[in-house]
Amino acid sequence: MADFIFRQLINGEWVDAADCGTWDLLNPATEESLGLMPYGGGADAYAAIAAAAAAFPAWRDRSAYERAAILLKAAEWIAARQDELAVLTTEEAGKPLREARLEWLAAINNLTWMAEECKRNYGRLIPARLPGRRIMVIHQPLGVVGVITAWNFPVYNNVRAWAAALAAGCTVVGKPSEYTPRSSMALAQALVESGLPAGVLNVVNGDAAAIGEAMLKDPRCRKISFTGSTRVGKLLMDGASETVTRLGLELGGNAPVIIFPDVKDLKDVAEKAVFYKYRNCGQVCISPQRFYVHSRVAEEFLDRVSTLTEKVRLGNGMDDATETGPLINAIQRDRLEGLVADAAARGAAVLAGGSRPADLPKGYFYRPTVVTGITDTMRLSSEEIFGPVMPVYPFSDPDEALALANASEYGLAAYIHTGDMATAFHMYEHLEYGMIGVNDWYPSTPEAPFGGVKQSGMGREVGPEGFYDYTEVKTVYLGGL
Ligand code: NAD
């Protein structure tokens, strides 16, 4: 394996935690230690913010072309080591190697796209209503940005924010999840070894509340980009009300999937439903979650997905045959088990899975599961599942399906499957979600905005909107001309 450095990065130095704290990082497929990671806190975060603030003026003043060149070099660094990088991600996150490779490919794509986008940071000239006057709008980098992220995509969640912020001319303090710090440290190494100056990117790992508080309290930190649960997003909103720190919030989801009887190929829809539902063991914020299936095809759909679900190969992500890995930790596995047990106790039918696998006694595994007969009183009907459980709800009235789909506090992604254009238009125009897949299961790409409405968050990552979310708008009036 290449020489990866698994330490915090502060002001260009790879360092341990200020108080020498450590965290025993476990492989979720084996429960074995991957080594001790530095586990810091407030002191590390303040040092990182100070370094980022000091590095900001020079980084801001570099041309977009110079900043882009470093991001492009980092993309090449990753491309040359994609296989080794995928291994370290699989070991800490549990996902199959094939998915880890794709995540590093997403890093390459995000770095490359933002490297180009920053060259198009155009302002505008507004025709003035008074003579002798000109009005300009320009977009300038925000300054220091804190980036706090979840473990489910330990590379992608970071790179989408880091690439946009760095491309815009901001400096960054990254705080990955304590469950997956190595992927972000390797991503930081890619940028450092590609010429990123000291202090422009810093990575701290440790006490989340203390690090979050430092980012909220230090006035030099101008924005926090947060990817994680709605619960923690709300805590950050509370804190930000004291300092008016700008927030970008990418929070939880509870994506409905509405399947109409006029789909071109129900077999294909069922196969893809199974594939995308169990991708990353269901730990995906845009994971298809609540399956509303028209009653004319519900029985066939349930038969197909139940049979396919029983065949999904569960195992260690390092094994080429594995299709779905473990959950990230015992807390998530136990929470998921509780959701299914609650539904079963209240009368839901478990058609596939529904237990831990007997042949995998080690690791946080849970068998892919299909459940139907779900009622409002079951936690499964309203909580974010974030695991390999597929609840199926038959419906007969499309407007009722639409109302049920919208009856959620979340509003991240939604999916419609239909062969009818008018149905597709009606549905995507009325679904209260930030991203809609119409006969499409993967609404995510570097060039299009990603984000949710309602309690799924605010602001956007990636796409032009994601770039501009790391800039401040400045309006300039030129008089006496
Ligand atoms: P989480 O909210 O528990 O943790 C996310 C990050 O916040 C971690 O780095 C954690 O250490 C940190 N954190 C925890 N408490 C904090 C505090 N008090 N102050 C500051 N930071 C704190 O979420 P998780 O369990 O890691 O991730 C799962 C959640 O993330 C799901 O709800 C999922 O939908 C969501 N998610 C959303 C997106 C999106 O783009 N919308 C993407 C991925 C994951």
Side-chain angles (χ1 to χ4, degrees), residues 39 147-153 156-157 160 175-180 205-213 215-216 224 226-233 235-236 249-254 283-287 328-329 332 335 384 386 410 412 435 450-452 456-457 461:
Y39 189 84
V147 179
I148 303 175
T149 53
W151 40 263
N152 64 334
F153 287 97
Y156 169 73
N157 289 343
R160 67 180 182 182
K175 189 258 171 255
S177 166
E178 53 276 35
Y179 291 99
T180 53
N205 184 51
D207 181 341
I211 294 169
E213 188 179 285
M215 289 179 182
L216 286 167
I224 300 176
F226 175 75
T227 299
S229 63
T230 297
R231 180 186 72 80
V232 175
L235 289 176
L236 292 174
L249 298 178
E250 296 288 345
L251 309 178
N254 188 355
Q283 302 168 114
V284 179
C285 54
I286 57 169
S287 181
I328 190 71
N329 54 32
Q332 292 295 333
R335 187 188 56 80
E384 181 180 28
F386 225 59
Y410 295 108
L412 193 57
M435 293 168 288
F450 187 108
S456 286
E461 297 288 353

Side-chain angles (χ1 to χ4, degrees), residues 25 28 49 102 108 110 116 148 161-162 208 216 270 280 291 427 470:
L25 184 67
I49 294 168
L102 284 175
I108 294 171
N110 274 273
E116 297 306 329
I148 303 175
W162 295 4
L216 286 167
N280 201 17
F291 285 78
M427 287 289 156
Y470 291 93

Side-chain angles (χ1 to χ4, degrees), residues 6-7 16-17 21-25 34-40 92 178 181-182 185 205:
F6 300 134
R7 297 174 97 190
D16 288 322
T22 55
W23 169 275
D24 190 8
L25 184 67
L34 292 166
L36 292 180
M37 296 293 120
Y39 189 84
E92 66 180 4
E178 53 276 35
R182 301 193 317 174
M185 290 166 178
N205 184 51

